[in-house]
Amino acid sequence: MSYYFLNPRRWLILIAVMLAFLPVVLDMTILHVAVPTLTQALGATNNQVLWVIDIYPLLMAGLLVPMGTLADRVGNRLILLIGLVIFGAASAATAFAPTAQMLIGARVMLALGGAMIMPCVLGIIRRTFEDDKERGLALGLWGTVGAAGAAVGPLIGGALLEHFWWGSVFLINVPLMLVVAPACWLLLPRQEQTVPGHWPIGQALLLVMGMIAVVYAAKTGFGGKQPLAVVLLTLAFGLAMLVLFARKQFRAAAPMLDLSLLAHPAIVAGIIMAVVASGALAGVELTLAQELQYVLDKTPLQAGIFMIPIMAAAAVGGPVAGWLSARYGLRPVASLSMVVAALSLGWLAVQNFHAPGVIVPLLLALLGLALSIGLTASSIAIMGSVDASKGGAAGSLEATGYELGTGLGITLFGVFMSVIFRRNLTTPAGLSPDLADQAAVSMGDTYLVARQLSDDQAAALVAAGKAAFSTTHSVLLLTSAALIGGLAVLVFFLLTDMRKDSA
């Protein structure tokens, strides 16, 4: 037996690493309700707001696999401790960032710290608990913390913004890191098995540069902020980096990301489900938070409370998905969960959020539950399609899919929202072309422009903005419903071979 299993402090280690994991998960959702407050306080443009939100999950998507590989080379303890220090320092820098540009830079460092923490936490749990039953319990607790952290993120953010400035949603991480870092330094064993070999930093850079370039091209292309030639060149560069990364993975003796696993249709289905479901969940939360505050004039705390059903239901979707898959098979559960999510989104699109009644919270809960079941089904599809020896590589693909889905969901929802909002906004007569163009970028920009106008003109512009945003929100929900409905059909066919194994 290893030192880890004999360590009587293993449950204390579990508590320590779960506390290290909690703020990383919180930062995925806590910022959603802070967008309106942050936009007004920093005078941030719509494009800057999108970068502030999704630079975190996008960078983490590119860094999770490289950092997990680095941890295998030098040890989970060292990388975790470095990640905790970086995350704590970046949280303080983020909280006091005076401009949107500096906030984006601080979020980059936050993503770096988070990407170092996440794979180490899971690796430490797996190595600390060698007994199957104990490891299952430990991983279940870890999953509960992840789901609960995402669920309470908007509520905690709203509560903090009710009493403090927008930076408090980041500053809350600092005291936690001051406790967790020393605890991990004291509790985690100094010696652990590592994997020999060099760390392919070049491959990591290719992956990150490619993803960021493609996303930047999408943002600026749809937003019309850059000449078409610049957008196309950026897109071509990003795609070239990703193609080069893929070629290196196929040719390397020990690839950073085992892309040969994509030959399994079930793994492809699982990754697509992870990307789309996590993207839809993040995008819907973001647009809903803005609808509640910008259009319905709710406080951040009220918006967080309003969004509890979607995330609370998402927190219980995992165990439900496991039970349903064991009883009825993975294929019908995965497909039906996407159908239910699509129907929920379509029904929400035609609801009056000014008078939500009981139906809107129920639909939000149903949506959160369905998407959560879909995410868990994606994990079952991926991990059930590979040998145990390739479980780590498959897990890396799955985690990357989650983070990439969250980042792309926020990006695509944000860009699409800007385009639809511009088309539906009718600015008041007498507004200068420059101000009208700025106001049409986003609802946040509409409020920024309204500050410069007379009371009557400002009121007319805000009213027009609210009407345009409500229309935009409905269009986004209907479009998401159509996409997820199409995903349900695709998943049904891709999981054909798993029918017998899962039933």
Side-chain angles (χ1 to χ4, degrees):
M1 293 185 181
S2 73
Y3 176 86
Y4 280 99
F5 181 71
L6 295 175
N7 187 351
R9 297 179 298 182
R10 59 189 180 278
W11 295 107
L12 292 177
I13 291 174
L14 177 64
I15 294 173
V17 296
M18 285 196 304
L19 288 176
F21 175 60
L22 180 59
V24 179
V25 179
L26 281 175
D27 270 33
M28 292 290 184
T29 58
I30 198 172
L31 192 58
H32 292 173
V33 295
V35 168
T37 305
L38 182 152
T39 301
Q40 304 301 311
L42 297 181
T45 65
N46 184 60
N47 201 40
Q48 289 173 332
V49 169
L50 290 180
W51 275 117
V52 166
I53 298 171
D54 62 18
I55 193 66
Y56 181 78
L58 282 174
L59 266 184
M60 284 192 66
L63 290 172
L64 274 172
V65 174
M67 288 303 164
T69 306
L70 180 60
D72 289 338
R73 299 290 189 274
V74 303
N76 286 289
R77 180 180 184 273
L78 177 60
I79 298 302
L80 176 63
L81 291 174
I82 294 174
L84 291 172
V85 172
I86 292 175
F87 196 88
S91 295
T94 305
F96 296 105
T99 65
Q101 292 88 339
M102 293 188 69
L103 180 57
I104 293 170
R107 289 276 283 175
V108 168
M109 297 306 297
L110 208 60
L112 174 60
M116 299 176 80
I117 293 171
M118 284 190 70
C120 293
V121 167
L122 195 55
I124 289 170
I125 291 175
R126 285 176 174 173
R127 296 185 183 186
T128 301
F129 296 91
E130 288 192 357
D131 179 76
D132 291 340
K133 292 183 179 180
E134 284 195 350
R135 187 191 303 131
L137 176 59
L139 289 173
L141 292 172
W142 168 80
T144 300
V145 168
V152 303
L155 183 61
I156 292 176
L160 289 171
L161 291 171
E162 191 81 2
H163 303 287
F164 307 103
W165 90 114
W166 63 266
S168 60
V169 301
F170 299 109
L171 196 61
I172 190 177
N173 296 330
V174 176
L176 185 58
M177 291 297 102
L178 291 175
V179 173
V180 172
C184 289
W185 184 82
L186 290 171
L187 290 171
L188 296 181
R190 267 63 170 174
Q191 296 180 350
E192 56 183 307
Q193 291 182 342
T194 56
V195 177
H198 72 284
W199 183 56
I201 187 172
Q203 296 180 27
L205 292 175
L206 287 175
L207 179 61
V208 174
M209 287 192 300
M211 290 175 56
I212 296 299
V214 170
V215 172
Y216 179 78
K219 285 174 177 291
T220 55
F222 283 104
K225 296 299 183 181
Q226 294 287 350
L228 181 60
V230 173
V231 173
L232 293 178
L233 284 174
T234 306
L235 179 62
F237 172 78
L239 292 176
M241 293 297 101
L242 294 177
V243 169
L244 184 57
F245 171 79
R247 289 182 63 184
K248 285 185 174 293
Q249 303 315 295
F250 285 120
R251 294 179 178 180
M256 177 177 289
L257 196 59
D258 190 357
L259 297 180
S260 65
L261 293 173
L262 297 179
H264 299 270
I267 291 182
V268 174
I271 292 174
I272 293 175
M273 289 174 65
V275 171
V276 175
S278 59
L281 193 59
V284 168
E285 280 184 8
L286 176 63
T287 53
L288 178 58
Q290 294 184 64
E291 170 85 9
L292 293 171
Q293 294 178 72
Y294 280 142
V295 179
L296 302 183
D297 297 320
K298 291 185 178 294
T299 66
L301 178 59
Q302 291 171 333
I305 293 173
F306 192 97
M307 294 167 65
I308 284 178
I310 187 171
M311 294 311 300
V316 302
V320 172
W323 180 81
L324 289 175
S325 297
R327 185 175 179 85
Y328 300 106
L330 179 62
R331 188 190 190 199
V333 171
S335 302
L336 187 59
S337 67
M338 294 295 99
V339 171
V340 172
L343 293 175
S344 301
L345 283 167
W347 202 347
L348 280 170
V350 298
Q351 292 299 309
N352 180 9
F353 281 76
H354 290 272
V358 177
I359 188 65
V360 170
L362 286 177
L363 288 173
L364 289 174
L366 192 60
L367 174 64
L369 180 64
L371 289 177
S372 179
I373 290 174
L375 284 171
T376 304
S378 73
S379 179
I380 296 172
I382 292 171
M383 302 309 292
S385 301
V386 297
D387 295 329
S389 61
K390 293 189 175 181
S396 295
L397 281 172
E398 181 185 1
T400 301
Y402 290 153
E403 302 302 328
L404 185 60
T406 300
L408 289 180
I410 292 171
T411 296
L412 296 178
F413 266 70
V415 170
F416 190 37
M417 182 167 55
S418 180
V419 172
I420 302 301
F421 181 78
R422 179 181 292 275
R423 292 181 178 177
N424 284 278
L425 179 64
T426 302
T427 55
L431 195 64
S432 70
D434 289 342
L435 289 178
D437 186 65
Q438 180 185 349
V441 172
S442 69
M443 192 63 198
D445 289 278
T446 300
Y447 273 99
L448 291 175
V449 171
R451 291 179 178 179
Q452 309 172 40
L453 307 177
S454 63
D455 291 344
D456 291 342
Q457 204 171 24
L461 178 60
V462 169
K466 288 183 175 182
F469 194 89
S470 290
T471 302
T472 301
H473 191 214
S474 296
V475 172
L476 284 171
L477 293 178
L478 286 172
T479 303
S480 300
L483 289 173
I484 293 181
L487 173 65
V489 177
L490 178 62
V491 166
F492 182 81
F493 286 105
L494 286 174
L495 293 180
T496 300
D497 294 336
M498 296 196 71
R499 177 172 49 189
K500 293 181 180 179
D501 298 333
S502 301

